[in-house]
C-alpha cells in the first residue's frame, strides 16, 4: 500500500470540528469529551489525511455503550483490535469525495486513564 503524505491544511481542523459535533451528538447520553489527536491535529505538520479523534467516556462500562450509536452513525467498529487493547474501542469511517480527509478514526478510552493521558501528552509534545 502506498502512503501519501499531504501538506498541512486548515481543513483538517474544520473537518474535526464538524465530526466532533456529530460524535458528541450521537454519544450525548455518555457526556463524551472529544479531542483531535494524531498528526492532522498539529498545525503545520505534513500528515496522512486521516483524522484521529479521541473520545473520552466516564468509566469502563461506558466503552461498549459507544458501539451501537457510532455504528448507527456510519462508523465501522473494528472489533478485532479490542482483544489486543481492551481499554480502547476503535472505529473507522472512510470519506468519499473529500481529497483532504480520506478517513476518520475514533479511539474511545476512559477519560483520564493512562491511555487518554498518554495520547494527549504526545499531541502536546508534537505541538511544542
Amino acid at each position: 500500500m502506498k502512503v501519501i503524505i499531504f501538506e498541512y491544511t486548515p481543513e483538517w481542523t474544520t473537518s474535526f470540528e464538524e465530526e466532533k459535533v456529530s460524535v458528541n451528538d450521537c454519544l450525548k447520553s455518555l457526556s463524551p469529551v472529544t479531542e483531535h489527536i494524531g498528526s492532522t491535529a498539529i498545525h503545520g505538520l505534513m500528515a496522512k489525511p486521516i483524522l484521529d479523534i479521541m473520545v473520552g467516556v466516564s468509566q469502563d462500562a461506558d466503552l461498549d455503550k459507544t458501539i451501537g450509536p457510532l455504528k448507527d452513525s456510519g462508523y465501522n467498529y473494528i472489533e478485532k483490535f479490542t482483544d489486543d487493547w481492551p481499554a480502547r474501542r476503535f472505529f473507522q469511517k472512510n470519506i468519499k469525495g473529500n481529497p483532504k480527509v480520506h478517513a476518520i478514526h475514533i479511539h474511545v478510552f476512559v477519560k483520564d486513564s493512562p491511555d487518554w493521558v498518554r495520547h494527549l501528552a504526545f499531541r502536546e509534545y508534537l505541538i511544542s
Side-chain angles (χ1 to χ4, degrees), residues 6-10 12-13 39-47 126-127:
F6 283 58
E7 291 289 335
Y8 174 80
T9 174
W12 291 335
T13 299
S39 54
T40 59
I42 313 305
H43 181 79
L45 186 67
M46 295 176 68
L126 290 176
I127 288 171

Side-chain angles (χ1 to χ4, degrees), residues 57-110:
V57 294
S58 298
Q59 56 190 345
D60 286 335
D62 292 339
L63 291 170
D64 286 338
K65 293 177 184 176
T66 65
I67 297 169
L70 286 170
K71 284 174 68 174
D72 290 346
S73 291
Y75 284 93
N76 297 311
Y77 172 48
I78 313 299
E79 187 174 2
K80 68 181 180 179
F81 295 136
T82 302
D83 287 339
D84 293 334
W85 199 345
R88 177 185 76 158
R89 299 299 175 270
F90 180 70
F91 302 82
Q92 178 180 334
K93 178 167 68 172
N94 293 325
I95 306 298
K96 295 179 182 175
N98 183 346
K100 299 292 184 179
V101 177
H102 291 175
I104 299 172
H105 293 168
I106 303 285
H107 310 263
V108 182
F109 295 104
V110 172

